[in-house]
Structures are given as C-alpha cells and as structure tokens.
Amino acid sequence: MIRAATLAELKQSGYKPRSTREEMRANLAERLRRGERLFDGIIGYDDSVFPEVENAVLSGHHMVFLGERGQAKTRIIRRLIDLLDPVVPVVRGCEVNDDPFRPVCSVCRRRMREQGDELEIDWLERGRRYGEKLATPDVTIADLIGEIDPVKIAEGRYMSDEEAIHFGIVPRTNRGIFAINELPDLTEKVQVGLFNVMEERDLQIKGFKVRLPLDIVVVATANPEDYTSRGRIVTPLKDRFDAQIRTHYPRTIADEIAIMEQEAHVGDRGGRALRVPVFIKEILARITMEARNAPEVSQSSGASVRITINNYETLVASAEKRALRCDESEIVPRISDLPAIAASTIGKLEFDYGMEQFGETAVFDRLVGRAVKATFDAHTQAIAFDPIVEYMGQGWGVVVSDTMPSAEYLAGIASIPGLREALDAMGPYESPGLMASATEFLLEGLHLHERLNREREGGRFTYRL
Ligand SMILES: [Zn+2]
C-alpha cells in the first residue's frame, strides 16, 4: 500500500478520519463479529473483567481499573493498543499528532491555511499512540500537561501564545490511549489538570488557558481502598471515569497454576528434565491464596500472582542445585525446598500491624503449613497411613533434606511397611526424584495432621513418632 504523503493524496485515497474511541469501537466490533478473543494470554477474566472492558470500549468510555497489586491491570491496558488501527495519518512534525483533516494545534492550523492540500503527512504506528505514567506525588502539571518554554519566550513569543508551550505526555498522546497508574497518588492540582483535559478539553498552565480539544482515551488504575478513600480523588475527576472495572485474583487453583506456568521462567535447565509433581504446583498456588485470606497479611495491598510465579522459579532453582550437586538427571522440587521460597514471598507481602509480633518468617511458615495440609487432604483421601505410623512407633525415624540424593529415599521406601502402597495410591511416581518428592509430601502431611513429630534444622527434616 502506498501511503499518502500530502493532504491531497490522503483525500484522494478515500481515507475517512475518525476519533480514537470510534476507531477502538469499530475494531472491537469487528473482532466480536469474527468471534475473536480480545485478550489472549490473560487468564481468569473471561466472565468478569473482559465483558466490562468490551462494554466500556463499545461505549467510548474512559476507564478506571480498581484492583490490588498483581491483577494484570497494566497488562490489560496495554492490550487495548491492539484495538487501534495499525497506522494513522498525522500532520508531519506535529507535537500532538494532529489529524490532517482537523488539526487542533495552532502550528498545524497555520500551516493548513498556508499550504492547503500540500500539507505534509506522516504515518503513526499504533505502538506510538500510547502514553503511560506512574502517578507519584512528584508528578507535575509540567510532566503531564505541559509548561511554558522559556526558550520560546526568549525567541520573542508572548506568554499567551500556545506555541510557547512545551507539551507534556498527555497532549503528546493525542489521538491515542493515555494510561495513568495509581491515580490516587497524583496531587490534587495535577488531578484538576487532568480533569480539564478530559472534560473542558483545554490545557491550563499557570493560570493560562489554551483551548486544545484533544482526542484521548484515558485509562487509569488504582488500589480500590485508595480510590474510595475520602479526599484521595477530586470528585469531578472520579465522575469523568465512565466505567469502573474491578479486577480480582484468580478464583480457582487451576487459574492460579495456569498463570504460574505461563509466566514463570523455568524453561531450559541445561539438559536435565524438569518434573514438577502436581501437588507441588498446588502447594505454591495455595500459599499465595492463603496469604490473600490470612488475617496476618494486609488485604488492602493484596498478594500478587507474582508471588506464585517467583516462588515456582525459586523452588525449581533450589531443586536444580540438588540435581547439579548430586549429578541427577532430573530436577524434582520437594517439600524440603519450600524454605527457599521465603525469599520470594515475604518481601511481596505487607504484614498487618499487630501481627508483626509473630515475625514475618513465622507467618510465612504458617501459610506454607496451611497450603501443604490442604493439598495433602485433597490428594490423600482414602489412603491408609496406619502401617507407616505404626512402624514409626517402633522407634524408627526418617531424615530427609534438600541436599539428599533421591536414590537414598528408595531404600527407605522399601523398608517402611505401607509406604510404597501409599505412594502408589497417591499417583504414579515412577522416577527416583518423584518418589523422593512424594515421600516428603506424605511425611509432612502426616506431621501437619499431628500423626508424626518433626524436627527441622535448615533444609533437614527428621520425622518420628
Ligand atoms: Zn499540530
């Protein structure tokens, strides 16, 4: 396709200008008509968040996403870029991406008058029609809206001249999507500036007003508690967000695991096979889900899916070290690797005041214990453990550790009555690594049900009656 280089050529090509929201609306409508999904790769929102986003786009609404950390809010917003046309024509050299048919900035309006159909055109790709800013109290009107450029003033322009403005990120995102993350962290003054752009469609800089009808879809994110707190958002700005969409954490273990598997970087382990038993994945998912319900953890800041993802990576790394040191061909995470994930869990949680007395590590241990116990219960119904417990009652103990080679577990499995049968009932665990992992899971489950005692020194666990 030959792209028009002047306004005359653009008119000849039959190009019809449309606003950003018309463009997004039309492209979404076409996708829906073809039965395509809008947000591939974002799991768990098909019946909750996505239908609301679709309604907002079809309605041409500004949107605010309310959710705790790690709920894919920013990811969804960035995917909205896909609803823009691949390229659109803009006036060449314009700082605010003016539509050649209806320029809004004074420079382009003057050039239009002088050059007419000879006005030069560039083509802007959709990836460049997106602006994003993390709100902090340091963000100024100058950053977002613009400021008077002293150099331009020195060149002889008057203060009242729009051309003396150095535009901020919002006008520069004209004809696109502007995203502001953590909206409540903007100062009131900057919120008012943003409101003026959205509602009055003019820029106000240091008491000086420029009419500039920008064409922008504004999308914001906020923590729900911050957003609803009195005084954090100026009311007129809140009213300007036509659609308020609540995100959430995965509602099922299956979704939490699916996200974990999709996002974690656990791929190439130098030729060693990575085998992660399903109960290990469930334990990781449950630890994060337990944190989301735990009274010791601040629920207003939440527990991100990133905890699950990073824990998976850490657990696999811990198992990989054992495989390297013991020169085993397979990498299989175990219960005794779980202490390693404290490093990727604790820093991502906020502990509630008053609960800190227990210590973060103690809270972490409790979360892990609850997760292992719930997973054990889900996997071991109708399995007989009495022979194992009776055998231990004769004075035997079992020592396992995160550094012990898998082969050493096999001897123990052979000597403890009922253990092999119990493992077989839990699932086919055929390799030494899987058997070792399942053995630890079984022993820890019996401990959590207070059928066995456990002593722990670092990654070394001793079970006895
Ligand atoms: Zn312009």
Side-chain angles (χ1 to χ4, degrees), residues 91 94-98 103-109:
V91 177
C94 176
E95 289 182 344
V96 299
N97 309 322
D98 261 327
V104 296
C105 85
S106 64
V107 177
C108 292
R109 290 204 311 269

Side-chain angles (χ1 to χ4, degrees), residues 51-163:
E52 294 181 24
V53 176
E54 289 164 355
N55 291 344
V57 170
L58 290 176
S59 308
H61 284 165
H62 298 299
M63 290 166 252
V64 57
F65 288 90
L66 300 185
E68 289 76 18
R69 65 177 82 169
Q71 296 183 348
K73 298 185 292 290
T74 307
R75 183 183 288 207
I76 294 170
I77 293 170
R78 289 180 185 158
R79 295 293 293 275
L80 292 173
I81 299 170
D82 298 348
L83 292 176
L84 298 171
D85 287 343
V87 287
V88 288
V90 295
V91 177
R92 177 170 293 175
C94 176
E95 289 182 344
V96 299
N97 309 322
D98 261 327
D99 182 339
F101 283 88
R102 43 189 182 196
V104 296
C105 85
S106 64
V107 177
C108 292
R109 290 204 311 269
R110 190 180 67 238
R111 283 168 63 193
M112 178 94 137
R113 284 195 299 274
E114 291 167 2
Q115 300 170 4
D117 279 0
E118 295 310 304
L119 189 68
E120 289 184 303
I121 284 169
D122 265 336
W123 291 81
L124 193 63
E125 297 188 353
R126 62 181 159 209
R128 293 172 58 203
R129 296 168 62 198
Y130 175 74
E132 185 181 298
K133 188 86 183 164
L134 174 64
T136 67
D138 296 338
V139 171
T140 61
I141 291 279
D143 299 326
L144 233 50
I145 312 298
E147 63 192 328
I148 306 297
D149 187 340
V151 176
K152 288 177 177 173
I153 296 290
E155 284 170 350
R157 298 184 210 278
Y158 293 109
M159 275 288 278
S160 60
D161 187 348
E162 180 198 315
E163 292 175 37

Side-chain angles (χ1 to χ4, degrees), residues 220-239:
T221 70
N223 178 290
E225 200 163 279
D226 294 345
Y227 192 75
T228 52
S229 290
R230 199 176 158 77
R232 294 294 296 271
I233 305 279
V234 301
T235 311
L237 180 62
K238 208 179 241 180
D239 288 343

